[in-house]
Amino acid sequence: MAARKHSRQRDSIKEFLMTRTDHPTADVIYRNVRQHNPNISLGTVYRNLTLLAQAGEISRLNMGDGVDRFDGDTSPHYHLLCERCGSVVDLKLEDISAVLEKAAAQFDGHITGHVTYFYGICRRCSKPTI
Amino acid sequence: MAARKHSRQRDSIKEFLMTRTDHPTADVIYRNVRQHNPNISLGTVYRNLTLLAQAGEISRLNMGDGVDRFDGDTSPHYHLLCERCGSVVDLKLEDISAVLEKAAAQFDGHITGHVTYFYGICRRCSKPTI
DNA sequence: TTCCTTGCAAATCGTTTGCATAATG
DNA sequence: CATTATGCAAACGATTTGCAAGGAA
């Protein structure tokens, strides 16, 4: 059960994450939260991110590029990793789970879920430079 | 261009990968190839896996669990990561790229590709124990 | 007082890299 | 000979963890 106690650090982390839509990494979160909470340690940031993600209050993204990113928006949506600038942007599209589930129905075993993400060039990077 | 020279080590690695359908990690590959090639180093294994993957001769899988796996089968297919035993099994299903592409068409930017994998319980693990 | 949390630093772990030497074309 | 590939070990980078001290219920 792990009765959870309140902590100023955890609040700052979650609060910060809610103001961002760019899926920051633990390190970025650390450097930002630090401004209002100078003594917080990177370990604490990681511990809380893991805890919040397990509790379903935030989500942890792994886009296969070696770093985990965190998202305060837990509503169903997809992501695109820009190959040019490395940023991750939201991609709102119709829920494709139905298609995937139907396709996977023939599998002899049990499918719990799936992960899908896209890569390409984000809007900002595909605009011509002035 | 990087003219590629022949090497016994690279051959063993690729050869080994062709005999497996279980998507081994670099370390597993290392320990196996070592049996016929006692002096090979882990660094060489990594260098060659990266090289072969870039050349499109094998593919590198990242299932978000911290380790990279390698697949000698480069034909289009999907994968499932078993949450019970940690193994990765092939999942043959109709190509869903069309669906994804259509869904992503509305995106204001350029989509190069996508990554999709499943997780759940593999056939072996979902069979009742005797 | 109990026990969850923190800060700090050290430890992990998978993967990459620098360098001198060996092998290939 | 010009270059690519290797073995070894050290370096890396992201994340986790042990521990003693601090804070919440």
Side-chain angles (χ1 to χ4, degrees), chain B residues 5 7 9-10 39 44 47-48:
Chain B
K5 290 186 180 177
S7 104
Q9 290 87 331
R10 183 154 52 238
N39 294 320
T44 295
R47 267 186 294 237
N48 280 301

PDB file of all heavy atoms in Angstrom, chain B residues 5 7 9-10 39 44 47-48, chain D residues 2-9:
ATOM      1  N   LYS B   5      35.611  -3.585 -44.761  1.00  0.00           N
ATOM      2  CA  LYS B   5      36.474  -4.749 -44.932  1.00  0.00           C
ATOM      3  C   LYS B   5      35.844  -5.936 -44.246  1.00  0.00           C
ATOM      4  O   LYS B   5      35.025  -5.798 -43.348  1.00  0.00           O
ATOM      5  CB  LYS B   5      37.861  -4.456 -44.359  1.00  0.00           C
ATOM      6  CG  LYS B   5      38.617  -3.445 -45.191  1.00  0.00           C
ATOM      7  CD  LYS B   5      40.042  -3.281 -44.691  1.00  0.00           C
ATOM      8  CE  LYS B   5      40.768  -2.257 -45.554  1.00  0.00           C
ATOM      9  NZ  LYS B   5      42.131  -1.999 -45.074  1.00  0.00           N
ATOM     10  N   SER B   7      35.561  -9.228 -41.898  1.00  0.00           N
ATOM     11  CA  SER B   7      36.129  -9.634 -40.613  1.00  0.00           C
ATOM     12  C   SER B   7      35.443 -10.880 -40.076  1.00  0.00           C
ATOM     13  O   SER B   7      34.220 -11.003 -40.154  1.00  0.00           O
ATOM     14  CB  SER B   7      36.034  -8.488 -39.592  1.00  0.00           C
ATOM     15  OG  SER B   7      35.004  -8.693 -38.662  1.00  0.00           O
ATOM     16  N   GLN B   9      35.031 -11.788 -37.084  1.00  0.00           N
ATOM     17  CA  GLN B   9      34.139 -11.464 -35.970  1.00  0.00           C
ATOM     18  C   GLN B   9      32.746 -11.044 -36.435  1.00  0.00           C
ATOM     19  O   GLN B   9      31.745 -11.517 -35.916  1.00  0.00           O
ATOM     20  CB  GLN B   9      34.742 -10.334 -35.129  1.00  0.00           C
ATOM     21  CG  GLN B   9      35.967 -10.745 -34.334  1.00  0.00           C
ATOM     22  CD  GLN B   9      37.260 -10.604 -35.112  1.00  0.00           C
ATOM     23  OE1 GLN B   9      37.281 -10.710 -36.341  1.00  0.00           O
ATOM     24  NE2 GLN B   9      38.351 -10.388 -34.416  1.00  0.00           N
ATOM     25  N   ARG B  10      32.732 -10.155 -37.393  1.00  0.00           N
ATOM     26  CA  ARG B  10      31.437  -9.675 -37.872  1.00  0.00           C
ATOM     27  C   ARG B  10      30.630 -10.826 -38.461  1.00  0.00           C
ATOM     28  O   ARG B  10      29.423 -10.925 -38.287  1.00  0.00           O
ATOM     29  CB  ARG B  10      31.629  -8.562 -38.907  1.00  0.00           C
ATOM     30  CG  ARG B  10      30.325  -7.979 -39.379  1.00  0.00           C
ATOM     31  CD  ARG B  10      30.496  -6.559 -39.870  1.00  0.00           C
ATOM     32  NE  ARG B  10      31.537  -6.396 -40.855  1.00  0.00           N
ATOM     33  CZ  ARG B  10      32.576  -5.597 -40.724  1.00  0.00           C
ATOM     34  NH1 ARG B  10      32.731  -4.883 -39.645  1.00  0.00           N
ATOM     35  NH2 ARG B  10      33.468  -5.516 -41.672  1.00  0.00           N
ATOM     36  N   ASN B  39      38.423 -14.815 -28.312  1.00  0.00           N
ATOM     37  CA  ASN B  39      39.065 -13.546 -28.023  1.00  0.00           C
ATOM     38  C   ASN B  39      38.246 -12.319 -28.345  1.00  0.00           C
ATOM     39  O   ASN B  39      38.671 -11.199 -28.107  1.00  0.00           O
ATOM     40  CB  ASN B  39      40.396 -13.455 -28.769  1.00  0.00           C
ATOM     41  CG  ASN B  39      41.379 -14.483 -28.248  1.00  0.00           C
ATOM     42  OD1 ASN B  39      41.446 -14.716 -27.045  1.00  0.00           O
ATOM     43  ND2 ASN B  39      42.103 -15.118 -29.147  1.00  0.00           N
ATOM     44  N   THR B  44      33.757  -4.995 -29.619  1.00  0.00           N
ATOM     45  CA  THR B  44      33.682  -5.394 -31.025  1.00  0.00           C
ATOM     46  C   THR B  44      32.275  -5.848 -31.372  1.00  0.00           C
ATOM     47  O   THR B  44      31.763  -5.558 -32.449  1.00  0.00           O
ATOM     48  CB  THR B  44      34.682  -6.536 -31.308  1.00  0.00           C
ATOM     49  OG1 THR B  44      35.994  -6.012 -31.114  1.00  0.00           O
ATOM     50  CG2 THR B  44      34.547  -7.055 -32.719  1.00  0.00           C
ATOM     51  N   ARG B  47      30.265  -2.715 -31.692  1.00  0.00           N
ATOM     52  CA  ARG B  47      30.617  -1.982 -32.906  1.00  0.00           C
ATOM     53  C   ARG B  47      29.999  -2.624 -34.130  1.00  0.00           C
ATOM     54  O   ARG B  47      29.450  -1.952 -34.995  1.00  0.00           O
ATOM     55  CB  ARG B  47      32.139  -1.911 -33.062  1.00  0.00           C
ATOM     56  CG  ARG B  47      32.715  -0.642 -32.451  1.00  0.00           C
ATOM     57  CD  ARG B  47      34.206  -0.512 -32.728  1.00  0.00           C
ATOM     58  NE  ARG B  47      34.956  -1.559 -32.057  1.00  0.00           N
ATOM     59  CZ  ARG B  47      35.948  -1.341 -31.178  1.00  0.00           C
ATOM     60  NH1 ARG B  47      36.308  -0.114 -30.905  1.00  0.00           N
ATOM     61  NH2 ARG B  47      36.577  -2.338 -30.616  1.00  0.00           N
ATOM     62  N   ASN B  48      30.057  -3.952 -34.185  1.00  0.00           N
ATOM     63  CA  ASN B  48      29.520  -4.626 -35.353  1.00  0.00           C
ATOM     64  C   ASN B  48      28.000  -4.646 -35.388  1.00  0.00           C
ATOM     65  O   ASN B  48      27.401  -4.566 -36.460  1.00  0.00           O
ATOM     66  CB  ASN B  48      30.089  -6.033 -35.448  1.00  0.00           C
ATOM     67  CG  ASN B  48      31.475  -6.017 -36.038  1.00  0.00           C
ATOM     68  OD1 ASN B  48      31.667  -5.557 -37.153  1.00  0.00           O
ATOM     69  ND2 ASN B  48      32.465  -6.490 -35.282  1.00  0.00           N
TER      70      ASN B  48
ATOM     71  P    DA D   2      50.794   4.826 -47.736  1.00  0.00           P
ATOM     72  OP1  DA D   2      51.031   6.083 -48.467  1.00  0.00           O
ATOM     73  OP2  DA D   2      51.313   4.654 -46.366  1.00  0.00           O
ATOM     74  O5'  DA D   2      49.212   4.568 -47.731  1.00  0.00           O
ATOM     75  C5'  DA D   2      48.542   4.312 -48.957  1.00  0.00           C
ATOM     76  C4'  DA D   2      47.108   3.962 -48.664  1.00  0.00           C
ATOM     77  O4'  DA D   2      47.032   2.618 -48.134  1.00  0.00           O
ATOM     78  C3'  DA D   2      46.475   4.869 -47.609  1.00  0.00           C
ATOM     79  O3'  DA D   2      45.132   5.131 -48.003  1.00  0.00           O
ATOM     80  C2'  DA D   2      46.558   4.050 -46.337  1.00  0.00           C
ATOM     81  C1'  DA D   2      46.414   2.626 -46.851  1.00  0.00           C
ATOM     82  N9   DA D   2      47.107   1.611 -46.057  1.00  0.00           N
ATOM     83  C8   DA D   2      48.282   1.716 -45.363  1.00  0.00           C
ATOM     84  N7   DA D   2      48.658   0.613 -44.760  1.00  0.00           N
ATOM     85  C5   DA D   2      47.654  -0.291 -45.085  1.00  0.00           C
ATOM     86  C6   DA D   2      47.461  -1.651 -44.762  1.00  0.00           C
ATOM     87  N6   DA D   2      48.308  -2.363 -44.010  1.00  0.00           N
ATOM     88  N1   DA D   2      46.349  -2.262 -45.237  1.00  0.00           N
ATOM     89  C2   DA D   2      45.497  -1.554 -46.000  1.00  0.00           C
ATOM     90  N3   DA D   2      45.573  -0.270 -46.383  1.00  0.00           N
ATOM     91  C4   DA D   2      46.692   0.306 -45.881  1.00  0.00           C
ATOM     92  P    DT D   3      44.284   6.174 -47.122  1.00  0.00           P
ATOM     93  OP1  DT D   3      43.657   7.112 -48.052  1.00  0.00           O
ATOM     94  OP2  DT D   3      45.164   6.631 -46.018  1.00  0.00           O
ATOM     95  O5'  DT D   3      43.147   5.265 -46.507  1.00  0.00           O
ATOM     96  C5'  DT D   3      43.528   3.974 -46.165  1.00  0.00           C
ATOM     97  C4'  DT D   3      42.348   3.087 -45.858  1.00  0.00           C
ATOM     98  O4'  DT D   3      42.946   1.871 -45.398  1.00  0.00           O
ATOM     99  C3'  DT D   3      41.479   3.605 -44.725  1.00  0.00           C
ATOM    100  O3'  DT D   3      40.172   3.056 -44.876  1.00  0.00           O
ATOM    101  C2'  DT D   3      42.191   3.058 -43.496  1.00  0.00           C
ATOM    102  C1'  DT D   3      42.695   1.697 -44.009  1.00  0.00           C
ATOM    103  N1   DT D   3      43.938   1.232 -43.368  1.00  0.00           N
ATOM    104  C2   DT D   3      44.065  -0.115 -43.160  1.00  0.00           C
ATOM    105  O2   DT D   3      43.224  -0.922 -43.510  1.00  0.00           O
ATOM    106  N3   DT D   3      45.214  -0.498 -42.519  1.00  0.00           N
ATOM    107  C4   DT D   3      46.232   0.311 -42.080  1.00  0.00           C
ATOM    108  O4   DT D   3      47.215  -0.167 -41.515  1.00  0.00           O
ATOM    109  C5   DT D   3      46.039   1.730 -42.340  1.00  0.00           C
ATOM    110  C7   DT D   3      47.090   2.715 -41.906  1.00  0.00           C
ATOM    111  C6   DT D   3      44.909   2.125 -42.957  1.00  0.00           C
ATOM    112  P    DT D   4      38.929   3.561 -44.104  1.00  0.00           P
ATOM    113  OP1  DT D   4      37.907   3.955 -45.083  1.00  0.00           O
ATOM    114  OP2  DT D   4      39.377   4.482 -43.042  1.00  0.00           O
ATOM    115  O5'  DT D   4      38.467   2.193 -43.439  1.00  0.00           O
ATOM    116  C5'  DT D   4      38.273   1.066 -44.280  1.00  0.00           C
ATOM    117  C4'  DT D   4      38.248  -0.196 -43.448  1.00  0.00           C
ATOM    118  O4'  DT D   4      39.556  -0.455 -42.892  1.00  0.00           O
ATOM    119  C3'  DT D   4      37.285  -0.130 -42.267  1.00  0.00           C
ATOM    120  O3'  DT D   4      36.606  -1.378 -42.216  1.00  0.00           O
ATOM    121  C2'  DT D   4      38.194   0.058 -41.067  1.00  0.00           C
ATOM    122  C1'  DT D   4      39.432  -0.701 -41.518  1.00  0.00           C
ATOM    123  N1   DT D   4      40.715  -0.317 -40.876  1.00  0.00           N
ATOM    124  C2   DT D   4      41.514  -1.322 -40.389  1.00  0.00           C
ATOM    125  O2   DT D   4      41.214  -2.498 -40.448  1.00  0.00           O
ATOM    126  N3   DT D   4      42.702  -0.906 -39.837  1.00  0.00           N
ATOM    127  C4   DT D   4      43.146   0.386 -39.720  1.00  0.00           C
ATOM    128  O4   DT D   4      44.239   0.616 -39.216  1.00  0.00           O
ATOM    129  C5   DT D   4      42.253   1.402 -40.243  1.00  0.00           C
ATOM    130  C7   DT D   4      42.641   2.837 -40.146  1.00  0.00           C
ATOM    131  C6   DT D   4      41.093   1.006 -40.790  1.00  0.00           C
ATOM    132  P    DA D   5      35.653  -1.761 -41.024  1.00  0.00           P
ATOM    133  OP1  DA D   5      34.599  -2.649 -41.561  1.00  0.00           O
ATOM    134  OP2  DA D   5      35.315  -0.507 -40.323  1.00  0.00           O
ATOM    135  O5'  DA D   5      36.567  -2.639 -40.057  1.00  0.00           O
ATOM    136  C5'  DA D   5      37.035  -3.894 -40.513  1.00  0.00           C
ATOM    137  C4'  DA D   5      37.606  -4.672 -39.344  1.00  0.00           C
ATOM    138  O4'  DA D   5      38.852  -4.059 -38.943  1.00  0.00           O
ATOM    139  C3'  DA D   5      36.706  -4.668 -38.112  1.00  0.00           C
ATOM    140  O3'  DA D   5      36.692  -5.988 -37.571  1.00  0.00           O
ATOM    141  C2'  DA D   5      37.353  -3.658 -37.185  1.00  0.00           C
ATOM    142  C1'  DA D   5      38.819  -3.765 -37.559  1.00  0.00           C
ATOM    143  N9   DA D   5      39.582  -2.540 -37.380  1.00  0.00           N
ATOM    144  C8   DA D   5      39.260  -1.276 -37.830  1.00  0.00           C
ATOM    145  N7   DA D   5      40.145  -0.359 -37.515  1.00  0.00           N
ATOM    146  C5   DA D   5      41.117  -1.062 -36.814  1.00  0.00           C
ATOM    147  C6   DA D   5      42.328  -0.667 -36.216  1.00  0.00           C
ATOM    148  N6   DA D   5      42.784   0.584 -36.230  1.00  0.00           N
ATOM    149  N1   DA D   5      43.057  -1.613 -35.589  1.00  0.00           N
ATOM    150  C2   DA D   5      42.613  -2.872 -35.578  1.00  0.00           C
ATOM    151  N3   DA D   5      41.489  -3.365 -36.122  1.00  0.00           N
ATOM    152  C4   DA D   5      40.785  -2.404 -36.726  1.00  0.00           C
ATOM    153  P    DT D   6      36.060  -6.267 -36.189  1.00  0.00           P
ATOM    154  OP1  DT D   6      35.538  -7.640 -36.242  1.00  0.00           O
ATOM    155  OP2  DT D   6      35.209  -5.131 -35.828  1.00  0.00           O
ATOM    156  O5'  DT D   6      37.339  -6.284 -35.243  1.00  0.00           O
ATOM    157  C5'  DT D   6      38.371  -7.238 -35.504  1.00  0.00           C
ATOM    158  C4'  DT D   6      39.347  -7.265 -34.355  1.00  0.00           C
ATOM    159  O4'  DT D   6      40.068  -6.019 -34.319  1.00  0.00           O
ATOM    160  C3'  DT D   6      38.664  -7.432 -32.996  1.00  0.00           C
ATOM    161  O3'  DT D   6      39.255  -8.533 -32.329  1.00  0.00           O
ATOM    162  C2'  DT D   6      38.960  -6.134 -32.259  1.00  0.00           C
ATOM    163  C1'  DT D   6      40.149  -5.552 -32.999  1.00  0.00           C
ATOM    164  N1   DT D   6      40.127  -4.072 -33.097  1.00  0.00           N
ATOM    165  C2   DT D   6      41.217  -3.389 -32.624  1.00  0.00           C
ATOM    166  O2   DT D   6      42.175  -3.925 -32.103  1.00  0.00           O
ATOM    167  N3   DT D   6      41.151  -2.031 -32.775  1.00  0.00           N
ATOM    168  C4   DT D   6      40.122  -1.307 -33.340  1.00  0.00           C
ATOM    169  O4   DT D   6      40.178  -0.086 -33.433  1.00  0.00           O
ATOM    170  C5   DT D   6      39.000  -2.088 -33.803  1.00  0.00           C
ATOM    171  C7   DT D   6      37.818  -1.403 -34.422  1.00  0.00           C
ATOM    172  C6   DT D   6      39.063  -3.419 -33.658  1.00  0.00           C
ATOM    173  P    DG D   7      38.541  -9.146 -31.094  1.00  0.00           P
ATOM    174  OP1  DG D   7      38.694 -10.616 -31.145  1.00  0.00           O
ATOM    175  OP2  DG D   7      37.209  -8.544 -30.944  1.00  0.00           O
ATOM    176  O5'  DG D   7      39.479  -8.576 -29.938  1.00  0.00           O
ATOM    177  C5'  DG D   7      40.843  -8.980 -29.861  1.00  0.00           C
ATOM    178  C4'  DG D   7      41.511  -8.293 -28.692  1.00  0.00           C
ATOM    179  O4'  DG D   7      41.603  -6.874 -28.967  1.00  0.00           O
ATOM    180  C3'  DG D   7      40.749  -8.426 -27.372  1.00  0.00           C
ATOM    181  O3'  DG D   7      41.715  -8.708 -26.349  1.00  0.00           O
ATOM    182  C2'  DG D   7      40.097  -7.054 -27.182  1.00  0.00           C
ATOM    183  C1'  DG D   7      41.053  -6.120 -27.905  1.00  0.00           C
ATOM    184  N9   DG D   7      40.418  -4.955 -28.517  1.00  0.00           N
ATOM    185  C8   DG D   7      39.206  -4.915 -29.148  1.00  0.00           C
ATOM    186  N7   DG D   7      38.912  -3.725 -29.631  1.00  0.00           N
ATOM    187  C5   DG D   7      40.007  -2.937 -29.293  1.00  0.00           C
ATOM    188  C6   DG D   7      40.258  -1.566 -29.565  1.00  0.00           C
ATOM    189  O6   DG D   7      39.559  -0.749 -30.167  1.00  0.00           O
ATOM    190  N1   DG D   7      41.485  -1.160 -29.045  1.00  0.00           N
ATOM    191  C2   DG D   7      42.352  -1.975 -28.374  1.00  0.00           C
ATOM    192  N2   DG D   7      43.469  -1.408 -27.956  1.00  0.00           N
ATOM    193  N3   DG D   7      42.131  -3.266 -28.113  1.00  0.00           N
ATOM    194  C4   DG D   7      40.933  -3.678 -28.608  1.00  0.00           C
ATOM    195  P    DC D   8      41.287  -9.223 -24.929  1.00  0.00           P
ATOM    196  OP1  DC D   8      42.252 -10.274 -24.527  1.00  0.00           O
ATOM    197  OP2  DC D   8      39.840  -9.515 -24.921  1.00  0.00           O
ATOM    198  O5'  DC D   8      41.578  -7.924 -24.065  1.00  0.00           O
ATOM    199  C5'  DC D   8      42.791  -7.198 -24.284  1.00  0.00           C
ATOM    200  C4'  DC D   8      42.704  -5.829 -23.634  1.00  0.00           C
ATOM    201  O4'  DC D   8      42.127  -4.883 -24.560  1.00  0.00           O
ATOM    202  C3'  DC D   8      41.817  -5.809 -22.385  1.00  0.00           C
ATOM    203  O3'  DC D   8      42.622  -5.475 -21.261  1.00  0.00           O
ATOM    204  C2'  DC D   8      40.775  -4.747 -22.674  1.00  0.00           C
ATOM    205  C1'  DC D   8      41.387  -3.944 -23.815  1.00  0.00           C
ATOM    206  N1   DC D   8      40.367  -3.366 -24.724  1.00  0.00           N
ATOM    207  C2   DC D   8      40.567  -2.073 -25.207  1.00  0.00           C
ATOM    208  O2   DC D   8      41.596  -1.459 -24.881  1.00  0.00           O
ATOM    209  N3   DC D   8      39.641  -1.519 -26.022  1.00  0.00           N
ATOM    210  C4   DC D   8      38.552  -2.218 -26.356  1.00  0.00           C
ATOM    211  N4   DC D   8      37.670  -1.647 -27.163  1.00  0.00           N
ATOM    212  C5   DC D   8      38.329  -3.546 -25.875  1.00  0.00           C
ATOM    213  C6   DC D   8      39.255  -4.080 -25.072  1.00  0.00           C
ATOM    214  P    DA D   9      41.965  -5.458 -19.772  1.00  0.00           P
ATOM    215  OP1  DA D   9      42.906  -6.098 -18.847  1.00  0.00           O
ATOM    216  OP2  DA D   9      40.566  -5.920 -19.852  1.00  0.00           O
ATOM    217  O5'  DA D   9      41.965  -3.892 -19.496  1.00  0.00           O
ATOM    218  C5'  DA D   9      42.835  -3.055 -20.271  1.00  0.00           C
ATOM    219  C4'  DA D   9      42.378  -1.631 -20.125  1.00  0.00           C
ATOM    220  O4'  DA D   9      41.402  -1.310 -21.151  1.00  0.00           O
ATOM    221  C3'  DA D   9      41.688  -1.372 -18.788  1.00  0.00           C
ATOM    222  O3'  DA D   9      42.117  -0.120 -18.292  1.00  0.00           O
ATOM    223  C2'  DA D   9      40.216  -1.400 -19.134  1.00  0.00           C
ATOM    224  C1'  DA D   9      40.205  -0.832 -20.561  1.00  0.00           C
ATOM    225  N9   DA D   9      39.080  -1.289 -21.368  1.00  0.00           N
ATOM    226  C8   DA D   9      38.414  -2.481 -21.289  1.00  0.00           C
ATOM    227  N7   DA D   9      37.420  -2.596 -22.143  1.00  0.00           N
ATOM    228  C5   DA D   9      37.442  -1.387 -22.833  1.00  0.00           C
ATOM    229  C6   DA D   9      36.646  -0.882 -23.868  1.00  0.00           C
ATOM    230  N6   DA D   9      35.633  -1.543 -24.418  1.00  0.00           N
ATOM    231  N1   DA D   9      36.934   0.364 -24.326  1.00  0.00           N
ATOM    232  C2   DA D   9      37.956   1.029 -23.777  1.00  0.00           C
ATOM    233  N3   DA D   9      38.782   0.658 -22.802  1.00  0.00           N
ATOM    234  C4   DA D   9      38.468  -0.583 -22.366  1.00  0.00           C
TER     235       DA D   9
END
